[in-house]
Amino acid sequence: MPTALQPGFVLHRRPYSDSSLLLEIFTAEHGRLVLIARGVKGAKRTGAAQAALLQPFQPLWLSWSGRGEVKTLTRAEAAGRALALTDTRLYCGLYVNELLMRLWPRQEGSEPLFLAYQMILAALGREVVPEQSLRQFELSLLTAMGYELVLDRVVDGGIAVQPEEHYLLIPGQGLRRALAPGASSVSGETLHRLAQNAPLLEPRHRREAKRLLRQALAPHLGSKPLRSRELFRKPDN
Amino acid sequence: MSESNLLSELIDALRRLPGIGPRSAQRIAFYLLERDRDSGRRLAAIMAAAMDRIGRCNTCRTLTEASLCSICANPKRDQSLLCVVEHPADIVAIEQATDFSGGYFVLGGRLSPLDGIGPAELELGRLQGRLAAGGVRELILAISPTIEGSATSHYIAEMAAAQQVPVTRIAHGVPLGGELEYVDGGTLAHAFSGRQPV
Ligand SMILES: [Zn+2]
Protein backbone atom coordinates (compact mmCIF):
# COMPACT_ATOMS: atom_id res chain seq x y z
CA MET A 1 0.00 0.00 0.00
CA PRO A 2 1.41 3.40 -0.95
CA THR A 3 1.55 6.02 1.79
CA ALA A 4 -0.85 8.95 1.76
CA LEU A 5 0.48 12.02 -0.05
CA GLN A 6 2.99 13.82 2.16
CA PRO A 7 4.57 17.23 1.81
CA GLY A 8 8.25 16.95 0.92
CA PHE A 9 11.22 18.21 -1.06
CA VAL A 10 13.87 16.59 -3.19
CA LEU A 11 17.27 17.30 -1.60
CA HIS A 12 19.27 15.61 -4.32
CA ARG A 13 18.80 13.38 -7.31
CA ARG A 14 20.98 11.06 -9.31
CA PRO A 15 20.36 9.00 -12.42
CA TYR A 16 19.58 5.39 -11.62
CA SER A 17 19.72 2.98 -14.55
CA ASP A 18 18.69 4.38 -17.93
CA SER A 19 15.22 5.53 -17.11
CA SER A 20 15.00 6.09 -13.37
CA LEU A 21 16.10 8.60 -10.78
CA LEU A 22 17.34 7.98 -7.26
CA LEU A 23 15.92 10.71 -5.03
CA GLU A 24 17.00 11.85 -1.59
CA ILE A 25 13.88 13.43 -0.19
CA PHE A 26 13.03 15.32 2.97
CA THR A 27 9.59 15.15 4.56
CA ALA A 28 8.11 16.35 7.83
CA GLU A 29 6.85 13.04 9.09
CA HIS A 30 9.50 10.61 7.82
CA GLY A 31 12.51 12.88 7.59
CA ARG A 32 15.07 11.95 4.98
CA LEU A 33 14.25 9.06 2.65
CA VAL A 34 15.63 7.46 -0.50
CA LEU A 35 13.09 6.91 -3.26
CA ILE A 36 13.40 5.47 -6.72
CA ALA A 37 11.36 7.28 -9.36
CA ARG A 38 10.94 4.74 -12.15
CA GLY A 39 10.57 5.54 -15.81
CA VAL A 40 10.87 9.30 -15.43
CA LYS A 41 13.85 9.82 -17.68
CA GLY A 42 13.83 9.56 -21.41
CA ALA A 43 11.74 10.84 -24.24
CA LYS A 44 8.23 10.08 -23.04
CA ARG A 45 6.30 13.24 -22.37
CA THR A 46 4.77 12.21 -19.05
CA GLY A 47 8.13 10.97 -17.82
CA ALA A 48 9.92 14.17 -18.79
CA ALA A 49 7.31 16.28 -17.00
CA GLN A 50 7.78 14.17 -13.85
CA ALA A 51 11.54 14.51 -14.07
CA ALA A 52 11.18 18.29 -14.37
CA LEU A 53 8.98 18.27 -11.27
CA LEU A 54 11.30 16.10 -9.18
CA GLN A 55 13.90 18.82 -8.67
CA PRO A 56 15.30 20.36 -5.51
CA PHE A 57 13.46 23.44 -4.16
CA GLN A 58 10.12 22.38 -5.65
CA PRO A 59 7.46 21.90 -2.95
CA LEU A 60 5.92 18.49 -3.59
CA TRP A 61 3.22 16.08 -2.51
CA LEU A 62 4.76 12.62 -2.51
CA SER A 63 3.67 9.09 -1.87
CA TRP A 64 5.71 5.92 -1.98
CA SER A 65 5.58 2.24 -1.22
CA GLY A 66 8.00 -0.42 -0.06
CA ARG A 67 9.46 -1.58 3.21
CA GLY A 68 13.20 -1.54 2.59
CA GLU A 69 15.51 1.40 2.98
CA VAL A 70 15.01 2.35 -0.68
CA LYS A 71 11.35 2.91 -1.46
CA THR A 72 9.50 3.37 -4.72
CA LEU A 73 7.87 6.66 -5.59
CA THR A 74 4.23 6.06 -6.47
CA ARG A 75 3.00 9.61 -6.98
CA ALA A 76 4.38 13.15 -7.12
CA GLU A 77 2.50 16.40 -7.51
CA ALA A 78 3.51 20.03 -7.27
CA ALA A 79 2.53 21.56 -3.93
CA GLY A 80 3.31 25.06 -5.10
CA ARG A 81 5.58 26.89 -7.44
CA ALA A 82 9.23 25.88 -7.66
CA LEU A 83 11.62 28.30 -6.09
CA ALA A 84 13.59 29.71 -9.02
CA LEU A 85 16.93 30.00 -7.25
CA THR A 86 19.55 31.79 -9.27
CA ASP A 87 23.02 33.14 -8.60
CA THR A 88 24.35 32.89 -5.08
CA ARG A 89 20.92 31.83 -3.78
CA LEU A 90 21.44 28.56 -5.58
CA TYR A 91 24.74 28.04 -3.74
CA CYS A 92 22.95 28.76 -0.43
CA GLY A 93 20.21 26.28 -1.33
CA LEU A 94 22.78 23.60 -2.15
CA TYR A 95 24.55 24.37 1.14
CA VAL A 96 21.34 23.87 3.12
CA ASN A 97 20.60 20.61 1.29
CA GLU A 98 24.12 19.36 1.87
CA LEU A 99 23.83 20.16 5.60
CA LEU A 100 20.67 18.04 5.81
CA MET A 101 22.21 15.21 3.80
CA ARG A 102 25.30 15.19 5.97
CA LEU A 103 23.83 15.76 9.42
CA TRP A 104 20.22 14.65 9.52
CA PRO A 105 19.75 10.88 9.85
CA ARG A 106 17.48 8.93 7.51
CA GLN A 107 13.91 8.08 8.46
CA GLU A 108 13.71 10.45 11.37
CA GLY A 109 10.84 12.91 11.16
CA SER A 110 10.98 16.38 12.69
CA GLU A 111 8.19 18.90 12.20
CA PRO A 112 10.25 21.84 13.54
CA LEU A 113 13.15 21.03 11.22
CA PHE A 114 10.85 20.70 8.22
CA LEU A 115 9.33 24.05 9.11
CA ALA A 116 12.83 25.55 9.43
CA TYR A 117 13.66 24.18 5.98
CA GLN A 118 10.56 25.77 4.47
CA MET A 119 11.48 29.06 6.17
CA ILE A 120 15.01 29.12 4.78
CA LEU A 121 13.75 28.34 1.27
CA ALA A 122 11.21 31.15 1.56
CA ALA A 123 13.99 33.49 2.71
CA LEU A 124 16.13 32.45 -0.27
CA GLY A 125 13.25 33.46 -2.49
CA ARG A 126 13.39 36.97 -1.01
CA GLU A 127 17.07 37.75 -0.40
CA VAL A 128 20.31 36.89 -2.13
CA VAL A 129 22.23 35.84 0.97
CA PRO A 130 19.74 35.67 3.86
CA GLU A 131 22.37 35.50 6.63
CA GLN A 132 19.88 35.79 9.47
CA SER A 133 17.71 32.98 8.08
CA LEU A 134 20.70 30.77 7.31
CA ARG A 135 21.91 31.07 10.92
CA GLN A 136 18.40 30.32 12.24
CA PHE A 137 18.25 27.22 10.05
CA GLU A 138 21.64 26.04 11.36
CA LEU A 139 20.43 26.63 14.94
CA SER A 140 17.22 24.67 14.24
CA LEU A 141 19.23 21.80 12.78
CA LEU A 142 21.49 21.64 15.86
CA THR A 143 18.43 21.72 18.13
CA ALA A 144 16.67 18.96 16.16
CA MET A 145 19.87 16.88 16.36
CA GLY A 146 19.80 17.22 20.14
CA TYR A 147 22.69 19.69 20.37
CA GLU A 148 20.85 22.91 21.06
CA LEU A 149 23.17 25.86 21.20
CA VAL A 150 22.42 27.78 24.39
CA LEU A 151 22.89 31.43 23.42
CA ASP A 152 21.79 33.32 26.52
CA ARG A 153 23.80 31.70 29.31
CA VAL A 154 27.39 30.58 29.87
CA VAL A 155 28.26 26.96 30.62
CA ASP A 156 29.48 27.07 34.17
CA GLY A 157 27.29 28.92 36.62
CA GLY A 158 24.68 29.70 33.98
CA ILE A 159 25.29 33.46 34.19
CA ALA A 160 23.27 35.37 31.60
CA VAL A 161 25.11 36.60 28.52
CA GLN A 162 25.79 40.34 28.64
CA PRO A 163 25.63 42.43 25.45
CA GLU A 164 28.89 44.26 26.12
CA GLU A 165 30.91 41.13 26.96
CA HIS A 166 32.62 38.68 24.59
CA TYR A 167 32.31 34.90 24.56
CA LEU A 168 33.99 31.78 23.23
CA LEU A 169 32.29 28.56 22.15
CA ILE A 170 33.71 25.49 23.84
CA PRO A 171 32.83 22.60 21.51
CA GLY A 172 30.42 20.12 23.05
CA GLN A 173 29.86 22.35 26.09
CA GLY A 174 28.69 25.86 25.37
CA LEU A 175 29.71 29.48 25.84
CA ARG A 176 32.40 30.81 28.15
CA ARG A 177 33.18 34.44 28.80
CA ALA A 178 36.30 35.59 26.93
CA LEU A 179 38.76 37.77 28.77
CA ALA A 180 39.08 40.01 25.74
CA PRO A 181 37.58 40.07 22.24
CA GLY A 182 39.63 37.84 19.92
CA ALA A 183 39.70 36.23 16.50
CA SER A 184 37.22 33.52 17.47
CA SER A 185 35.11 35.28 20.07
CA VAL A 186 31.54 36.44 19.64
CA SER A 187 29.98 39.49 21.24
CA GLY A 188 27.07 39.21 23.66
CA GLU A 189 25.20 41.57 21.37
CA THR A 190 25.42 39.15 18.42
CA LEU A 191 24.38 36.28 20.70
CA HIS A 192 21.31 38.25 21.77
CA ARG A 193 20.39 38.92 18.18
CA LEU A 194 20.76 35.24 17.27
CA ALA A 195 18.71 34.15 20.31
CA GLN A 196 15.88 36.52 19.44
CA ASN A 197 16.04 35.96 15.67
CA ALA A 198 16.73 39.68 15.32
CA PRO A 199 18.30 41.14 12.16
CA LEU A 200 22.10 40.83 11.90
CA LEU A 201 22.46 44.44 10.87
CA GLU A 202 26.17 45.09 11.08
CA PRO A 203 28.82 43.19 9.12
CA ARG A 204 30.42 42.23 12.47
CA HIS A 205 27.14 40.62 13.63
CA ARG A 206 26.99 38.54 10.45
CA ARG A 207 30.68 37.63 10.61
CA GLU A 208 30.53 36.58 14.26
CA ALA A 209 27.27 34.65 13.85
CA LYS A 210 28.58 32.79 10.82
CA ARG A 211 31.82 31.86 12.60
CA LEU A 212 29.96 30.75 15.74
CA LEU A 213 27.65 28.42 13.79
CA ARG A 214 30.57 27.09 11.79
CA GLN A 215 32.34 26.24 15.07
CA ALA A 216 29.17 24.62 16.42
CA LEU A 217 28.64 22.48 13.31
CA ALA A 218 32.30 21.52 12.86
CA PRO A 219 32.42 18.60 15.35
CA HIS A 220 29.40 17.01 13.64
CA LEU A 221 30.86 17.39 10.16
CA GLY A 222 34.16 15.82 11.21
CA SER A 223 37.10 15.96 8.87
CA LYS A 224 35.03 15.96 5.66
CA PRO A 225 34.39 19.58 4.67
CA LEU A 226 31.10 20.68 3.12
CA ARG A 227 31.64 20.70 -0.63
CA SER A 228 29.06 23.40 -1.34
CA ARG A 229 31.23 25.92 0.55
CA GLU A 230 33.70 25.73 -2.35
CA LEU A 231 31.20 27.46 -4.59
CA PHE A 232 31.26 30.62 -2.51
CA ARG A 233 35.00 30.96 -2.87
CA LYS A 234 36.02 33.11 -5.77
CA PRO A 235 38.08 31.20 -8.29
CA ASP A 236 41.77 32.09 -8.11
CA ASN A 237 42.89 34.46 -10.77
CA MET B 1 24.41 -22.61 -14.40
CA SER B 2 27.09 -24.63 -16.12
CA GLU B 3 28.33 -21.82 -18.38
CA SER B 4 32.04 -21.50 -18.89
CA ASN B 5 33.74 -18.73 -17.03
CA LEU B 6 34.64 -16.79 -20.15
CA LEU B 7 31.07 -16.83 -21.39
CA SER B 8 29.66 -15.50 -18.15
CA GLU B 9 32.43 -12.90 -18.01
CA LEU B 10 31.52 -11.76 -21.52
CA ILE B 11 27.83 -11.49 -20.62
CA ASP B 12 28.74 -9.62 -17.47
CA ALA B 13 30.96 -7.21 -19.40
CA LEU B 14 28.24 -6.50 -21.96
CA ARG B 15 25.70 -5.94 -19.24
CA ARG B 16 27.71 -3.01 -17.94
CA LEU B 17 27.06 -1.06 -21.13
CA PRO B 18 24.33 1.59 -20.90
CA GLY B 19 20.93 0.44 -22.13
CA ILE B 20 21.83 -3.26 -22.05
CA GLY B 21 20.09 -5.48 -19.55
CA PRO B 22 20.94 -9.08 -18.63
CA ARG B 23 18.78 -10.58 -21.40
CA SER B 24 20.20 -8.40 -24.17
CA ALA B 25 23.72 -9.06 -22.92
CA GLN B 26 23.11 -12.79 -23.18
CA ARG B 27 21.61 -12.45 -26.67
CA ILE B 28 24.56 -10.41 -27.95
CA ALA B 29 27.09 -12.85 -26.49
CA PHE B 30 25.42 -15.89 -28.04
CA TYR B 31 24.93 -14.13 -31.36
CA LEU B 32 28.58 -13.18 -31.66
CA LEU B 33 29.86 -16.59 -30.59
CA GLU B 34 27.48 -18.66 -32.69
CA ARG B 35 27.06 -16.57 -35.82
CA ASP B 36 29.52 -13.75 -36.21
CA ARG B 37 32.90 -14.23 -34.59
CA ASP B 38 34.48 -11.85 -37.12
CA SER B 39 32.37 -8.96 -35.90
CA GLY B 40 33.19 -9.95 -32.35
CA ARG B 41 36.93 -9.94 -33.06
CA ARG B 42 36.69 -6.61 -34.86
CA LEU B 43 34.73 -5.07 -31.99
CA ALA B 44 37.29 -6.34 -29.48
CA ALA B 45 40.22 -4.94 -31.47
CA ILE B 46 38.61 -1.53 -32.05
CA MET B 47 37.44 -1.36 -28.46
CA ALA B 48 40.95 -2.01 -27.18
CA ALA B 49 42.51 0.52 -29.56
CA ALA B 50 39.90 3.16 -28.74
CA MET B 51 40.29 2.73 -25.00
CA ASP B 52 44.06 3.05 -25.32
CA ARG B 53 44.40 5.76 -27.92
CA ILE B 54 41.45 8.15 -27.52
CA GLY B 55 42.31 10.89 -25.09
CA ARG B 56 41.27 14.49 -24.52
CA CYS B 57 41.93 17.48 -26.76
CA ASN B 58 44.56 19.72 -25.17
CA THR B 59 42.50 22.81 -25.88
CA CYS B 60 38.82 21.94 -25.53
CA ARG B 61 38.91 18.61 -23.60
CA THR B 62 36.72 16.76 -26.07
CA LEU B 63 37.53 13.17 -27.03
CA THR B 64 40.15 12.81 -29.74
CA GLU B 65 43.09 10.62 -30.65
CA ALA B 66 45.19 13.62 -31.65
CA SER B 67 46.57 16.22 -29.28
CA LEU B 68 44.23 18.74 -30.91
CA CYS B 69 40.70 17.81 -32.03
CA SER B 70 39.48 18.52 -35.57
CA ILE B 71 37.49 21.58 -34.47
CA CYS B 72 40.35 23.16 -32.54
CA ALA B 73 42.75 22.37 -35.41
CA ASN B 74 40.46 23.94 -38.01
CA PRO B 75 41.68 27.49 -38.79
CA LYS B 76 38.23 28.43 -40.13
CA ARG B 77 36.65 28.07 -36.71
CA ASP B 78 36.36 31.35 -34.81
CA GLN B 79 37.89 30.52 -31.42
CA SER B 80 36.91 33.93 -30.03
CA LEU B 81 33.40 32.51 -29.70
CA LEU B 82 33.71 29.86 -27.03
CA CYS B 83 30.83 27.52 -26.22
CA VAL B 84 30.92 25.63 -22.91
CA VAL B 85 29.22 22.22 -22.87
CA GLU B 86 29.03 19.36 -20.39
CA HIS B 87 29.91 16.42 -22.63
CA PRO B 88 31.47 15.67 -26.03
CA ALA B 89 28.03 14.40 -27.15
CA ASP B 90 26.72 17.96 -26.73
CA ILE B 91 29.24 19.16 -29.34
CA VAL B 92 27.90 16.60 -31.80
CA ALA B 93 24.34 17.75 -31.10
CA ILE B 94 25.20 21.46 -31.58
CA GLU B 95 27.29 20.76 -34.70
CA GLN B 96 24.39 18.85 -36.28
CA ALA B 97 21.63 21.28 -35.32
CA THR B 98 23.24 24.71 -35.67
CA ASP B 99 25.68 26.60 -37.89
CA PHE B 100 27.82 27.60 -34.92
CA SER B 101 31.38 28.00 -36.11
CA GLY B 102 33.22 28.90 -32.94
CA GLY B 103 35.18 26.74 -30.51
CA TYR B 104 34.14 24.60 -27.57
CA PHE B 105 35.14 23.77 -24.05
CA VAL B 106 34.01 20.45 -22.56
CA LEU B 107 33.51 20.40 -18.79
CA GLY B 108 33.01 16.66 -18.44
CA GLY B 109 30.11 17.17 -16.02
CA ARG B 110 28.56 19.79 -13.77
CA LEU B 111 29.34 21.18 -10.36
CA SER B 112 27.57 18.93 -7.90
CA PRO B 113 28.80 19.43 -4.35
CA LEU B 114 26.49 16.70 -3.04
CA ASP B 115 28.21 14.22 -5.37
CA GLY B 116 31.65 15.53 -4.44
CA ILE B 117 32.21 17.33 -7.75
CA GLY B 118 33.64 20.78 -7.19
CA PRO B 119 35.54 23.30 -9.33
CA ALA B 120 38.74 21.28 -8.95
CA GLU B 121 37.15 18.02 -10.17
CA LEU B 122 35.83 19.78 -13.28
CA GLU B 123 39.29 21.29 -13.88
CA LEU B 124 37.74 24.72 -14.19
CA GLY B 125 41.23 26.13 -13.83
CA ARG B 126 41.80 25.16 -17.46
CA LEU B 127 38.83 27.23 -18.60
CA GLN B 128 40.01 30.04 -16.35
CA GLY B 129 43.41 29.85 -18.06
CA ARG B 130 41.83 30.00 -21.48
CA LEU B 131 39.82 33.10 -20.53
CA ALA B 132 42.84 34.72 -18.91
CA ALA B 133 44.87 34.16 -22.07
CA GLY B 134 42.52 36.62 -23.78
CA GLY B 135 40.98 36.53 -27.23
CA VAL B 136 37.54 35.28 -26.17
CA ARG B 137 34.91 37.87 -27.09
CA GLU B 138 31.86 35.80 -26.14
CA LEU B 139 31.51 32.85 -23.79
CA ILE B 140 28.35 30.87 -24.59
CA LEU B 141 27.00 28.61 -21.85
CA ALA B 142 25.19 25.56 -23.26
CA ILE B 143 24.66 23.74 -19.96
CA SER B 144 21.53 21.84 -18.89
CA PRO B 145 19.18 24.00 -16.81
CA THR B 146 19.12 21.58 -13.87
CA ILE B 147 20.01 22.74 -10.37
CA GLU B 148 23.62 21.60 -10.78
CA GLY B 149 23.77 22.95 -14.33
CA SER B 150 22.55 26.37 -13.17
CA ALA B 151 25.10 26.43 -10.36
CA THR B 152 27.81 25.56 -12.90
CA SER B 153 26.65 28.29 -15.27
CA HIS B 154 26.67 30.85 -12.50
CA TYR B 155 30.12 29.84 -11.32
CA ILE B 156 31.57 30.09 -14.83
CA ALA B 157 29.76 33.37 -15.49
CA GLU B 158 31.41 34.84 -12.36
CA MET B 159 34.77 33.54 -13.55
CA ALA B 160 34.27 35.14 -16.96
CA ALA B 161 33.05 38.41 -15.47
CA ALA B 162 36.28 38.63 -13.46
CA GLN B 163 38.16 38.47 -16.79
CA GLN B 164 35.77 40.96 -18.44
CA VAL B 165 34.57 38.33 -20.92
CA PRO B 166 30.92 38.79 -21.98
CA VAL B 167 28.77 35.73 -21.25
CA THR B 168 25.58 34.51 -22.91
CA ARG B 169 23.43 31.50 -22.12
CA ILE B 170 21.38 29.47 -24.59
CA ALA B 171 17.63 30.06 -24.22
CA HIS B 172 15.52 27.57 -22.30
CA GLY B 173 11.82 27.18 -22.88
CA VAL B 174 8.93 25.57 -24.64
CA PRO B 175 10.01 22.88 -27.12
CA LEU B 176 9.19 23.66 -30.75
CA GLY B 177 5.93 21.98 -31.65
CA GLY B 178 5.13 21.62 -27.96
CA GLU B 179 1.80 22.64 -26.51
CA LEU B 180 1.87 25.00 -23.55
CA GLU B 181 -0.66 22.95 -21.63
CA TYR B 182 1.76 20.01 -21.45
CA VAL B 183 4.88 21.95 -20.57
CA ASP B 184 5.92 21.60 -16.94
CA GLY B 185 5.57 24.62 -14.65
CA GLY B 186 9.30 25.26 -14.21
CA THR B 187 9.97 25.31 -17.95
CA LEU B 188 6.97 27.53 -18.57
CA ALA B 189 8.06 29.97 -15.84
CA HIS B 190 11.53 30.06 -17.41
CA ALA B 191 10.13 30.62 -20.89
CA PHE B 192 7.83 33.34 -19.59
CA SER B 193 10.52 35.28 -17.76
CA GLY B 194 12.79 34.98 -20.80
CA ARG B 195 10.18 36.39 -23.23
CA GLN B 196 11.43 38.48 -26.12
CA PRO B 197 10.06 41.30 -28.24
CA VAL B 198 8.65 40.11 -31.59
ZN1 LIG C 1 39.54 20.61 -29.21
Side-chain angles (χ1 to χ4, degrees), chain A residues 109-131:
Chain A
S110 165
E111 284 282 353
L113 186 59
F114 190 74
L115 192 66
Y117 184 69
Q118 288 175 307
M119 304 258 288
I120 181 65
L121 291 195
L124 283 171
R126 291 189 305 263
E127 303 165 57
V128 176
V129 184
E131 300 257 2

Side-chain angles (χ1 to χ4, degrees), chain B residues 56-62 64 67-73 79 91 104 130:
Chain B
R56 301 242 170 223
C57 172
N58 279 342
T59 307
C60 74
R61 311 296 292 152
T62 197
T64 174
S67 58
L68 218 54
C69 75
S70 59
I71 292 176
C72 290
Q79 294 286 344
I91 296 185
Y104 292 94
R130 185 135 171 211

Side-chain angles (χ1 to χ4, degrees), chain A residues 28-191:
Chain A
E29 203 177 319
H30 301 267
R32 208 153 68 71
L33 291 170
V34 185
L35 301 184
I36 291 183
R38 293 194 193 280
V40 294
K41 277 171 64 200
K44 269 188 279 168
R45 191 200 279 166
T46 49
Q50 280 274 291
L53 191 61
L54 295 168
Q55 292 255 25
F57 317 123
Q58 161 74 56
L60 293 166
W61 288 105
L62 299 163
S63 81
W64 59 87
S65 64
R67 285 157 181 268
E69 186 161 356
V70 179
K71 305 184 193 306
T72 303
L73 179 77
T74 52
R75 207 164 143 201
E77 286 175 24
R81 208 186 291 167
L83 201 57
L85 294 185
T86 51
D87 313 339
T88 313
R89 300 159 200 246
L90 194 47
Y91 298 173
C92 292
L94 288 170
Y95 166 74
V96 168
N97 284 4
E98 190 179 13
L99 266 187
L100 282 178
M101 298 260 295
R102 286 283 302 279
L103 298 181
W104 190 245
R106 284 200 177 138
Q107 314 215 11
E108 200 167 310
S110 165
E111 284 282 353
L113 186 59
F114 190 74
L115 192 66
Y117 184 69
Q118 288 175 307
M119 304 258 288
I120 181 65
L121 291 195
L124 283 171
R126 291 189 305 263
E127 303 165 57
V128 176
V129 184
E131 300 257 2
Q132 183 189 343
S133 306
L134 278 168
R135 301 298 85 85
Q136 291 302 322
F137 175 77
E138 291 163 336
L139 287 168
S140 303
L141 177 59
L142 284 166
T143 302
M145 287 164 66
Y147 300 99
E148 186 184 356
L149 199 56
V150 177
L151 297 163
D152 57 353
R153 278 169 286 120
V154 294
V155 201
D156 30 28
I159 301 163
V161 161
Q162 302 299 317
E164 64 280 4
E165 297 284 357
H166 292 265
Y167 298 86
L168 289 169
L169 180 70
I170 313 299
Q173 298 180 36
L175 298 166
R176 284 239 172 97
R177 197 165 74 85
L179 295 174
S184 58
S185 71
V186 52
S187 69
E189 193 193 340
T190 299
L191 290 169

